[in-house]
Amino acid sequence: MFHKEGQKIILITLLIVGSLFLFIDALEIPWLVKTLQITLLVFLILILQFFRNPKRNTKQNDAHVISPVDGKVVVIEEVEETEYFKDKRLQVSVFMSPINVHVTRYPVGGKVLFSKYHPGKYLVAWHPKSSEENERTTVVVENVKFGKILYRQIAGALARRIVNYAQKEQHVVQGSDAGFIKFGSRVDLFLPLNTKLKVKLNQKVKGGESIIAEL
């Protein structure tokens, strides 16, 4: 299954690869034909795997915050969140490499209180200032047990488009599709200070399934 955000790109890629295959096939240098065709197939496979949207078995639980994306935990620290809360929060950041699934899923269920897009730079996603200076979206969901949870989609050096489906006043379901980040990035979670974390630095997590924290 492929994500809807990739359907147009996949179709265009198939048309280009198909056309180039026919053109290359007319060449009379066997080794060159084979090399170019293999290169095109690898390119097509990379595009297909990037936009894959595997089904996830989300066990909905209002006492849990689940990972919004696939990737590796690269930040766990107490920080001052300056955009919405304007106080100290526990930040957990998950970095996605180009080979990870890039679907964003709601970490908690509840009501969307805030959703805002910010244009910005394209620093590498692990840069300390990427959370404040890169292209990003900020979403706050109010959960019945956790209260207000903020997550932030952040573009990386390769990412050039963030898709965010969250709309203010919308009621969302934990683990459901919240958006997509095209070509590299990270997602930051900002949690209450009394949150009990269930992950460690450098741990690999799976969006929609891995538990990041609990009350």
Side-chain angles (χ1 to χ4, degrees), residues 75-173:
V75 175
I76 296 177
E77 63 181 355
E78 186 178 311
V79 299
E80 186 80 17
E81 199 291 307
T82 59
E83 181 178 1
Y84 184 85
F85 294 117
K86 296 179 172 57
D87 64 11
K88 290 190 179 295
R89 296 279 151 166
L90 188 60
Q91 178 182 333
V92 179
S93 300
V94 179
F95 172 74
M96 292 170 282
S97 74
I99 63 172
N100 285 128
V101 173
H102 276 61
V103 180
T104 305
R105 296 174 170 87
Y106 290 107
V108 294
K111 183 179 180 181
V112 177
L113 301 181
F114 183 83
S115 182
K116 186 175 182 179
Y117 167 77
H118 301 273
K121 299 178 182 178
Y122 297 98
L123 301 172
V124 289
W126 57 83
H127 193 287
K129 291 186 176 295
S130 64
S131 182
E132 299 176 352
E133 297 186 7
N134 277 22
E135 179 186 358
R136 62 200 182 278
T137 64
T138 301
V139 176
V140 178
V141 179
E142 186 171 34
N143 174 264
V144 292
K145 289 190 177 180
F146 257 95
K148 299 173 184 177
I149 299 296
L150 185 153
Y151 71 87
R152 184 171 289 139
Q153 296 170 293
I154 304 169
L158 295 177
R160 286 297 182 271
R161 187 179 176 213
I162 294 176
V163 180
N164 171 35
Y165 300 146
Q167 297 181 357
K168 192 175 179 180
E169 304 299 321
Q170 178 185 9
H171 287 271
V172 298
V173 177

Side-chain angles (χ1 to χ4, degrees), residues 166-185:
Q167 297 181 357
K168 192 175 179 180
E169 304 299 321
Q170 178 185 9
H171 287 271
V172 298
V173 177
Q174 186 180 43
S176 61
D177 195 341
F180 199 92
I181 313 179
K182 296 183 177 180
F183 303 112
S185 44

